Amino acid sequence: MADIPDSDLDDVARIRRVLARELETINEYEAFARAASHPEVRAFFLHLATEEKEHVSEAVHMLRMLDANQDSRFTAPIAPGHFQQAVGEAPPPATVLAPPPPPPPAKQVLNGRSPVEPLTALPPQRLMYGLPAPPPAVESHPLTVGSLRRGGGSGGGNR
C-alpha cells in the first residue's frame, strides 16, 4: 500500500497510514532520547514523542469513529491464552478473573456507524481535530505530516 498515492486512498486508509507513521516517529524520538547525552536534549525528544502519542490517540479515535468493524475490535475482550493459542502453545492455567464491566449504553447509529463525536457538514479537509479549521493559505498544501512526509516536500522543517 506504500506505493499507492495518498490521493487515491479513502479516509480510513489515510488515517491508518498516518497512524503507522506516527508510531514509527514515536520509536525514532524515543531512540533519539535514549542516545542523547544532554538532559535537555533528552527531554526535548521525549516531549516530541509525547506529542506523537497524542496524535496516535487522535488517529485511533478517528479510525474507531469511521470503521465500526475496527471499533468492535477495541471493545471485544481478549480471552486468556489467546496469544499462546495463536502460536500453538498451551494456554496458561485458568485464573479467576474479575467480572467483565457492564456493557456500554447503546450507541446512536448514523449511516451504519456509531459516531463518537457529532458529525459536521464541513468537508474533511476543512476539519482539524473535529473543529472547523482556519482557511488555508493560498500557497499551503492541504495536508502536511511535517517531517513524516515521504520524499521531502516543501518546507522540510521537523514540525
Side-chain angles (χ1 to χ4, degrees):
M1 195 156 145
D3 297 334
I4 300 172
D6 290 343
S7 60
D8 291 344
L9 300 173
D10 66 8
D11 287 342
V12 170
R14 285 187 193 105
I15 291 169
R16 287 186 177 128
R17 186 172 282 184
V18 166
L19 181 59
R21 290 177 184 172
E22 296 291 352
L23 290 168
E24 289 173 3
T25 304
I26 291 168
N27 287 340
E28 191 169 331
Y29 287 152
E30 288 181 346
F32 288 165
R34 284 189 302 275
S37 57
H38 194 280
E40 287 186 37
V41 173
R42 185 175 305 111
F44 168 71
F45 284 119
L46 291 175
H47 167 76
L48 292 177
T50 299
E51 286 183 354
E52 300 308 320
K53 289 177 182 181
E54 172 99 7
H55 298 164
V56 166
S57 176
E58 292 165 345
V60 168
H61 173 81
M62 293 297 296
L63 186 59
R64 291 181 72 177
M65 188 172 74
L66 296 173
D67 185 342
N69 184 288
Q70 183 74 64
D71 182 54
S72 70
R73 299 298 177 171
F74 281 99
T75 58
I78 297 175
H82 170 80
F83 299 108
Q84 289 85 358
Q85 291 172 359
V87 294
E89 295 178 9
T95 58
V96 176
L97 300 175
K107 296 180 180 180
Q108 173 189 6
V109 176
L110 180 62
N111 293 334
R113 297 185 178 135
S114 339
V116 178
E117 297 178 351
L119 298 177
T120 176
L122 291 173
Q125 65 270 24
R126 295 292 301 132
L127 293 177
M128 182 183 328
Y129 303 114
L131 302 172
V138 175
E139 302 163 7
S140 71
H141 188 277
L143 175 67
T144 61
V145 189
S147 62
L148 300 176
R149 191 177 332 158
R150 305 284 189 212
S154 63
N158 287 340
R159 295 197 187 220

